[in-house]
Amino acid sequence: MNRQPAPHFGVRTRLIGCVLLSSISFCTAFAQAPSSEIVEAVVVYGDHKLIEQDEVLTDEELSTMLDSLCTLDPAPQDLIRDLRLFQRIRRMDQSQMITLIDSLFELDTVPYALVNEINLYADQMPTRQAVEESGVQTWSHHVDEPGYELYGEWNTVSPNAYGVELSSADSILQLRLCDPGQDCGFSMPVPPIITSRFGYRDGRNHNGIDVDLEVWDTVRAAFPGVVRFAGTYGGFGRLVVVRHFNGLETFYAHLHRIKVAPGAEVDAGELVGLGGSSGHSTGSHLHFETRFKGMPFDPSRMIDLTTGELLGDTLVLVRTRSSFSAYPKGARFHTVAKGEHLSAIADQYGVPLDALCSLNGLSQRARLRVGQRLMVLCSVSSSHLAEGSALP
Ligand SMILES: [Zn+2]
């Protein structure tokens, strides 16, 4: 059998479970197949594609399949164990799923694409209706301490000023990135040459994106707001934190020079510092974070990192067990079918290939798997889009 070596212990077993999870439709081929075909299908799993059908395997079919596998002689023990794990994962609720995802961070190396895909799986909710019924975070025009109503404090001493209880009652909310009544703008802090994305990287969790720059390059505020923190802080080095009028906070780290002081009002595009390599940094770059109520979320869900422009004017934030998940409002999922490739999917939705790749953290040459879920954001709604699962 041409499969990966079977895992034996706790954490690795959980990882394989996730591989199975992300390959949810790998099992569909087994559904009605006679036992001999099942074994044949297992042979190709892990090597090339396995899927011949795209229906969802029900729990009942999965049980039947497991029963039939157990009658084989010799029984394919590895497959049976993996499928039992898969069966357990399918029954997990969202919080159990998040615990599972968290456990991935204990591993030495995890492929980012896999983590991303698991996140998409866990992110099946909310429905469009839930989003429409959710509250819209209003813009504060409290020019001294924006978002005070939301945060209840204005801390200029620590960038990490908030406890988890601040957002514990939140579920779904919409964050307007631009005030409809104002020309508030958005400015990419530096031109978007991304050297590291948000998420699990090199054995640690990366709470922002890294953007290439030269020392002394201008770093600009992303939105209008007020500087909450400006100073040296641990691995961030020289850091500026701006709180915006919708409650969003942005972090600009590893600066060479800080050009603003706490309390200073800044406009979108206004200078906050000069790029550098201070703090825990190898080579000059900007470490840029986006946070809401102290919880970092992926900036690539808000900004098109290929163009440096906003993906949309509204961001949907969903409180998860440990953070917020962010989606551009109007995004939906596409489930990859047999024979599909990235450029065909981009064409189908009328979106640029590089934007599709950026939104999903994929290279343009990435190989897709059947059943893999891609986030798609298109500006024009058309009838074929109804096939995609509705997301915010
Ligand atoms: Zn970074």
Side-chain angles (χ1 to χ4, degrees), residues 195-197 204 206-211 236 253-254 280 285-289:
T195 55
S196 181
R197 292 176 61 102
R204 65 191 188 94
H206 191 218
N207 279 338
I209 56 171
D210 291 344
V211 195
F236 284 122
H254 306 315
H280 184 69
H285 71 279
L286 175 71
H287 172 88
F288 175 67
E289 292 189 13

Side-chain angles (χ1 to χ4, degrees), residues 52-254:
E52 300 302 330
Q53 306 164 44
D54 200 25
E55 301 92 45
V56 174
L57 185 64
T58 66
D59 287 343
E60 197 179 334
E61 287 166 338
L62 184 58
S63 298
T64 308
M65 187 173 76
L66 272 163
D67 288 347
S68 75
L69 283 173
C70 291
T71 64
L72 295 180
D73 187 25
Q77 294 299 341
D78 290 353
L79 177 64
I80 290 170
R81 189 193 47 226
D82 286 355
L83 286 175
R84 287 212 165 113
L85 194 58
F86 174 61
Q87 196 176 31
R88 275 213 318 273
I89 288 169
R90 288 182 76 174
R91 291 173 182 162
M92 286 180 174
D93 63 22
Q94 193 167 0
S95 71
Q96 290 170 319
M97 182 64 68
I98 289 162
T99 307
L100 176 71
I101 292 164
D102 287 348
S103 74
L104 286 175
F105 293 103
E106 298 163 15
L107 298 176
D108 292 335
T109 51
V110 179
Y112 174 74
L114 173 62
V115 176
N116 186 49
E117 204 176 322
I118 295 164
N119 279 328
L120 289 184
Y121 181 88
D123 286 352
Q124 285 183 87
M125 298 295 280
T127 63
R128 186 177 301 175
Q129 184 185 353
V131 172
E132 288 309 329
E133 289 169 359
S134 67
V136 178
Q137 179 57 43
T138 53
W139 273 51
S140 154
H141 293 280
H142 196 299
V143 287
D144 296 330
E145 296 168 356
Y148 189 89
E149 313 86 330
L150 208 57
Y151 288 86
E153 63 175 310
W154 181 258
N155 185 324
T156 60
V157 177
S158 172
N160 308 307
Y162 319 115
V164 288
E165 63 284 354
L166 183 64
S167 54
S168 56
D170 290 332
S171 53
I172 308 173
L173 62 99
Q174 300 178 56
L175 195 66
R176 285 237 167 86
L177 299 176
C178 290
D179 187 346
Q182 287 190 334
D183 179 18
C184 58
F186 165 77
S187 177
M188 189 67 197
V190 291
I193 304 162
I194 310 304
T195 55
S196 181
R197 292 176 61 102
F198 180 93
Y200 192 79
R201 276 283 184 281
D202 304 326
R204 65 191 188 94
N205 205 12
H206 191 218
N207 279 338
I209 56 171
D210 291 344
V211 195
D212 194 28
L213 51 63
E214 301 287 331
V215 179
W216 303 106
D217 277 358
T218 300
V219 176
R220 303 170 188 282
F223 298 98
V226 176
V227 176
R228 181 173 68 76
F229 178 91
T232 299
Y233 197 87
F236 284 122
R238 289 185 197 92
L239 168 72
V240 170
V241 177
V242 178
R243 192 190 282 173
H244 306 288
F245 295 104
N246 55 3
L248 183 76
E249 292 194 327
T250 49
F251 282 49
Y252 312 81
H254 306 315

